[in-house]
Amino acid sequence: MINVLWMYPDILNLHGERANAKAFEVIGKKLGLKVKIDRLDDLDEKVEFDKYDILLFNAGQLKEIEVLSNVLKNQINDLKKYIKDKKIIFVTGTTGALFSNNIQRLDGTSFKGLNIFDADIKEREYVLGDDLYFGFKKMKIVGPQIQMIDIDIKDEKPFGKVIYGYGNNGKGDEGIIKNNVIFTNTLGPVLVKNPWLLEYLFDLVIKNKKLKVKKKKIKYDLEKKSLESCEAFINKKLENK
Amino acid sequence: MRKIWFFIVLLGTKFGLLLCKLFHKQGSMIAGKTAIFFQKDFVKYFTNIDYNKVFFVTGTNGKSTTTNLLYHTLKTSGKNIASNVEGANMMSGVATTLIKNSNIFGKFNKEFLVLEIDERSLRNIFKVLPAKNLCISNLQKDQVQRNGDPDFIYQMFKNSLNKDVTLYVNNEEVRSRSLEDYVNKSIYFSLERNSKTFEKHDFYDVTCPCPKCSHKIEYEYYNIENIGKFKCSHCGYKSNTKVDTLITDVDFDNKSFKEGKDTYKVKYANPFMMYNYALVISVCKRFNIDANTIEEGFLSFINPADRRETYFYHGKTIRYLRMKQENPETLQNALDTIARDKNKKAVYMGLYEIKDFKPAYNNTFYFFDCDFKKIVETDVEQYVCFSKTASYETANRMLYAGVDNKKLKVYDVEDDFDLIFEDIDKLKSETIYIITGMKPYHKIKAFFNKEGENND
């Protein structure tokens, strides 16, 4: 059994990311895996880190990130142990700030994140919206990026290499990967659009838990055609640059 | 000196407008743009404006309809009124409205001024035109490439407000309601539970964070998507039980409702319009406009912002529903309209890449904010997804909603409507629904006007 905890679904909910939680169910079923998804709705409820293999943090607003940071700091040692045990955390969008160090807001105030990543965040004055297309291992990952923050990842390892788009700060790096904490700026239903990334997350759990399961093969025909459409659209933009 | 410059700019732009009128050219936008180009704070030099009778209307969805309805109803009641009902809702549009409705000395010559205001322009317009009334329809996700997340716009609203402003606000809309904290007076309008009210209990349903404490918001019910009786799970923030205007006894079939002791007949009856009526009644009550006069306005109102059209084609009825891309509420409204039709039907969806601003990009997140389940549960013969960039993603969304793969058809082509609509004749369904954003609108309309029967 693979246990997924969908973190604060109503609070971290900006761009249709509830579909990422649904993707765990849909793709898990197609792969023949037993997947259980729980919700953690209440900020006052403690996270039972021992029970879960994957924590899903979807995109949220900086305003809420500050509140979440204060909530999760109460369990920071448990969280660090979870990460040290190579369990998986998947984070999208501005919620990357939650796992960073210092967050500088536009109004001059700042707050501290959970400092899992040694990265600093600066709120942007203008929204940046574009496609984000990047490579991770042999995978191609695509999705929209609505960037409200710039990210200085210092010496942290980027999650992917940008093929097209802004990524962390327009310099070619996309997201962060540390142990099995994966952060991507790609928003929306990124796991629906890129189910191969979700399968990679499942593989990490299978390896960690030494699960004896035989996954079914999926061709992902529709998703591959969707990726091709997006690639063609992006290539056209690159040609016109 | 600045005042003298104002007179020069005003005279110049008025002369420009006159020339445009003489030569039958569209010049209304240019007048305001020119004025603002030459004098950034041009708007602030107009005189004789009673700011107590200036109403700004803003919000994510419905601001054009609300502005038009408010303007029309006040005008029907005999008020002398100016408005930017043509839809130019930024500083230049406001300038144009004032140029058109003032004398050569910049003396405003109307009693009321009702202005639709773009959310992002609100703060700057308030600085030069300190209206005492702000009507907010709602604050939702929209145009995320420009607006980012709702809090980005919320902060803009918050920073625009001052204690002199009277806020007209939807009692059941979580975000805009909470702006009550930044004004001295709020007028709350509300819609009671009705036959179109719905609840959500699915595992994957989500709400939103409380704007006051960031905890989870819970809804008892929804009147429209994201709007309904709510309460925060933590801080006590909730829909008021006592409001200034409460619409009750809605009869959608007979197009009527009650407000207090008064019964109103209306032209358009849907939950979204009910909130618009409630807001307009709130304003009218303040100026002692009686219910009969208000009703007269509601009955004679023609909504220029209506996004629905019907065509007749080879014996079939084509219901074309347009929505704003990146705006889940307008897509959900279209989906709800289709779901209410229990007869056999086909659904065509053309959801495209977003080209509102540069760079164009592909964002399909809003498909997943919407609930397709209600449609899937009805008798849909076929789903057709078309567009070069997003057709496969649309199809995938339908599969996630539980649609049978055999009912899905994908056309990954750009605007080839001879091909996309080639199989309409083969369908058993008598009604065909089409959902798109604005982009293919004219081409689809042209297709059915060319091929169809009795279409204007």
Side-chain angles (χ1 to χ4, degrees):
Chain A
M1 176 72 81
I2 295 174
N3 295 296
V4 181
L5 184 59
W6 181 12
M7 303 297 286
Y8 314 115
D10 305 281
I11 298 161
L12 300 178
N13 164 43
L14 276 182
H15 305 288
E17 281 103 352
R18 65 182 181 143
N20 287 333
K22 177 92 176 168
F24 280 101
E25 179 197 316
V26 171
I27 302 297
K29 200 172 169 186
K30 282 186 183 174
L31 288 167
L33 300 173
K34 282 184 182 167
V35 181
K36 187 173 183 293
I37 304 153
D38 290 333
R39 295 172 59 128
L40 182 66
D41 291 322
D42 188 351
L43 287 176
D44 299 327
E45 197 180 324
K46 283 207 160 190
V47 184
E48 294 181 74
F49 288 102
D50 290 346
K51 269 178 71 177
Y52 296 99
D53 308 302
I54 300 176
L55 304 182
L56 171 65
F57 287 83
N58 283 323
Q61 305 178 122
L62 275 183
K63 182 183 169 190
E64 275 79 41
I65 298 302
E66 185 170 4
V67 176
L68 291 184
S69 177
N70 292 331
V71 166
L72 289 171
K73 273 174 193 163
N74 295 325
Q75 284 189 271
I76 192 72
N77 290 334
D78 296 337
L79 175 65
K80 282 183 175 167
K81 183 182 177 302
Y82 177 93
I83 294 167
K84 204 177 158 194
D85 291 345
K86 293 199 169 177
K87 289 183 162 192
I88 290 109
I89 299 179
F90 186 69
V91 189
T92 69
T94 306
T95 305
L98 176 64
F99 292 85
S100 302
N101 185 11
N102 191 58
I103 296 102
Q104 182 67 51
R105 299 222 50 185
L106 262 181
D107 62 7
T109 61
S110 63
F111 65 94
K112 292 282 178 193
L114 298 170
N115 202 14
I116 302 298
F117 303 142
D118 182 20
D120 287 336
I121 304 293
K122 209 173 167 188
E123 186 175 9
R124 290 175 57 85
E125 193 173 346
Y126 299 102
V127 182
L128 186 145
D130 201 351
D131 294 294
L132 177 58
Y133 178 38
F134 65 96
F136 167 64
K137 295 189 182 285
K138 286 181 182 172
M139 288 176 241
K140 297 266 179 70
I141 295 163
V142 72
Q145 176 173 16
I146 301 295
Q147 200 68 356
M148 310 295 287
I149 53 175
D150 278 331
I151 308 158
D152 178 3
I153 71 166
K154 299 181 187 173
D155 293 328
E156 295 288 5
K157 189 180 170 190
F159 171 48
K161 195 82 200 148
V162 172
I163 301 166
Y164 174 89
Y166 190 73
N168 290 332
N169 47 27
K171 292 175 186 166
D173 289 338
E174 158 50 17
I176 298 175
I177 183 164
K178 189 169 191 172
N179 286 353
N180 283 332
V181 185
I182 294 171
F183 153 62
T184 176
N185 292 289
T186 327
L187 286 174
V190 57
L191 297 178
V192 175
K193 287 182 76 152
N194 305 276
W196 34 87
L197 176 58
L198 177 51
E199 195 172 336
Y200 172 78
L201 299 181
F202 281 140
D203 286 343
L204 288 176
V205 179
I206 291 166
K207 195 177 156 196
N208 281 354
K209 289 180 92 173
K210 294 180 181 131
L211 294 176
K212 285 181 183 163
V213 288
K214 198 173 179 196
K215 284 189 307 175
K216 288 180 191 163
K217 286 244 179 222
I218 312 180
K219 286 185 177 170
Y220 300 122
D221 287 339
L222 198 65
E223 291 90 342
K224 280 180 186 165
K225 281 182 182 166
S226 173
L227 176 66
E228 282 166 20
S229 302
C230 291
E231 280 174 325
F233 177 66
I234 288 168
N235 286 337
K236 211 171 168 185
K237 285 202 285 185
L238 284 168
E239 281 166 23
N240 294 334
K241 254 192 172 179
Chain B
M1 188 63 196
R2 294 192 66 79
K3 190 87 185 170
I4 294 167
W5 183 236
F6 166 75
F7 289 131
I8 294 167
V9 175
L10 178 65
L11 280 174
T13 49
K14 271 187 175 288
F15 183 65
L17 273 178
L18 184 71
L19 287 178
C20 287
K21 206 173 173 183
L22 282 173
F23 294 102
H24 305 287
K25 299 276 181 197
Q26 287 283 329
S28 58
M29 284 295 289
I30 298 165
K33 274 186 183 168
T34 308
I36 300 302
F37 177 79
F38 284 109
Q39 191 170 31
K40 213 177 168 190
D41 58 353
F42 174 76
V43 166
K44 91 172 183 192
Y45 296 101
F46 285 90
T47 58
N48 198 41
I49 299 172
D50 180 353
Y51 295 114
N52 286 307
K53 291 178 181 173
V54 179
F55 287 80
F56 287 170
V57 181
T58 191
T60 309
N61 296 315
K63 51 185 176 290
S64 298
T65 304
T66 308
T67 305
N68 278 282
L69 182 67
L70 181 56
Y71 169 79
H72 177 78
T73 311
L74 288 173
K75 203 171 169 62
T76 306
S77 75
K79 303 290 182 197
N80 195 12
I81 182 167
S83 179
N84 58 344
V85 283
E86 300 101 335
N89 63 8
M90 291 190 271
M91 187 69 88
S92 54
V94 173
T96 300
T97 306
L98 288 169
I99 293 166
K100 282 181 172 174
N101 293 282
S102 62
N103 68 15
I104 54 164
F105 302 107
K107 189 177 173 188
F108 183 60
N109 55 23
K110 299 285 189 317
E111 183 188 2
F112 282 82
L113 179 59
V114 173
L115 293 169
E116 176 188 331
I117 305 288
D118 171 68
E119 300 95 296
R120 293 170 64 102
S121 304
L122 189 65
R123 193 177 179 192
N124 284 337
I125 294 173
F126 255 122
K127 280 181 190 166
V128 290
L129 189 65
K132 294 285 173 68
N133 306 283
L134 176 65
C135 307
I136 304 181
S137 54
N138 50 65
L139 175 45
Q140 313 276 6
K141 282 179 249 186
D142 186 29
Q143 291 190 309
V144 297
Q145 193 183 15
R146 188 173 80 122
N147 294 341
D149 51 48
D151 192 51
F152 192 70
I153 297 299
Y154 186 92
Q155 294 303 323
M156 287 182 178
F157 281 0
K158 185 183 135 183
N159 294 331
S160 305
L161 289 170
N162 62 70
K163 294 287 180 188
D164 289 340
V165 171
T166 297
L167 187 67
Y168 289 76
V169 72
N170 186 327
N171 183 49
E172 279 94 57
E173 203 281 290
V174 175
R175 294 189 189 97
S176 55
R177 231 300 297 280
S178 70
L179 290 163
E180 64 194 0
D181 292 348
Y182 308 102
V183 295
N184 278 338
K185 191 176 179 191
S186 295
I187 306 281
Y188 302 103
F189 55 90
S190 180
L191 168 63
E192 201 179 54
R193 189 187 265 271
N194 57 74
S195 61
K196 290 191 177 172
T197 295
F198 57 96
E199 296 178 14
K200 288 186 177 187
H201 302 291
D202 190 272
F203 178 79
Y204 292 104
D205 285 333
V206 290
T207 63
C208 62
C210 172
K212 301 199 183 196
C213 77
S214 292
H215 283 65
K216 175 184 172 144
I217 288 289
E218 293 166 349
Y219 287 89
E220 188 178 317
Y221 59 79
Y222 297 84
N223 284 329
I224 42 183
E225 200 61 28
N226 294 326
I227 297 176
K229 190 176 179 186
F230 70 86
K231 66 168 191 209
C232 172
S233 58
H234 182 74
C235 74
Y237 173 50
K238 61 180 182 179
S239 302
N240 290 330
T241 44
K242 279 194 174 178
V243 294
D244 299 276
T245 302
L246 174 65
I247 286 191
T248 64
D249 303 278
V250 180
D251 183 340
F252 290 105
D253 294 332
N254 291 308
K255 297 185 178 180
S256 69
F257 63 82
K258 282 182 91 170
E259 199 288 315
K261 289 176 185 167
D262 301 312
T263 300
Y264 292 84
K265 284 255 180 198
V266 292
K267 187 165 189 169
Y268 302 95
N270 60 59
F272 207 92
M273 279 304 291
M274 291 300 150
Y275 280 112
N276 295 338
Y277 295 131
L279 193 159
V280 172
I281 290 170
S282 303
V283 175
C284 288
K285 274 198 231 172
R286 194 173 130 195
F287 296 99
N288 301 317
I289 299 168
D290 66 81
N292 287 337
T293 309
I294 298 171
E295 184 186 56
E296 204 184 309
F298 290 171
L299 277 169
S300 57
F301 174 64
I302 294 169
N303 184 7
D306 198 356
R307 295 194 180 99
R308 294 165 301 172
E309 286 180 22
T310 300
Y311 310 117
F312 300 99
Y313 174 82
H314 296 190
K316 298 194 188 291
T317 303
I318 312 291
R319 298 206 183 279
Y320 186 11
L321 312 167
R322 280 172 291 139
M323 48 120 201
K324 285 159 79 180
Q325 294 210 127
E326 286 192 300
N327 182 308
E329 279 69 30
T330 60
L331 175 57
Q332 189 66 59
N333 280 342
L335 298 174
D336 290 347
T337 301
I338 299 171
R340 281 195 285 272
D341 181 350
K342 304 300 174 200
N343 298 314
K344 188 184 275 297
K345 56 198 166 286
V347 179
Y348 282 65
M349 284 189 293
L351 306 175
Y352 285 50
E353 69 274 14
I354 315 288
K355 282 191 172 170
D356 292 348
F357 310 98
K358 281 187 177 173
Y361 81 130
N362 187 35
N363 190 347
T364 54
F365 81 85
Y366 60 101
F367 306 178
F368 286 90
D369 277 327
C370 294
D371 183 5
F372 284 73
K373 204 170 57 188
K374 288 183 244 177
I375 289 190
V376 177
E377 285 166 357
T378 66
D379 186 6
V380 179
E381 183 184 359
Q382 189 161 70
Y383 297 89
V384 178
C385 307
F386 62 94
S387 90
K388 196 156 181 73
T389 314
S391 54
Y392 292 108
E393 285 181 47
T394 313
N396 203 16
R397 173 67 187 102
M398 301 316 296
L399 292 176
Y400 266 75
V403 167
D404 182 350
N405 204 359
K406 288 176 199 148
K407 287 186 176 181
L408 266 177
K409 209 167 187 180
V410 179
Y411 290 98
D412 57 351
V413 293
E414 187 82 9
D415 294 350
D416 184 352
F417 295 111
D418 289 327
L419 175 68
I420 293 164
F421 296 131
E422 67 178 351
D423 285 342
I424 281 187
D425 292 342
K426 293 178 193 161
L427 292 167
K428 287 177 193 155
S429 307
E430 287 175 8
T431 307
I432 313 294
Y433 286 91
I434 302 171
I435 303 177
T436 74
M438 271 310 292
K439 193 183 165 221
Y441 168 60
H442 293 291
K443 286 180 182 171
I444 290 178
K445 186 175 177 157
F447 176 87
F448 286 109
N449 281 341
K450 183 181 72 168
E451 299 279 332
E453 307 109 25
N454 306 318
N455 296 319
D456 292 322

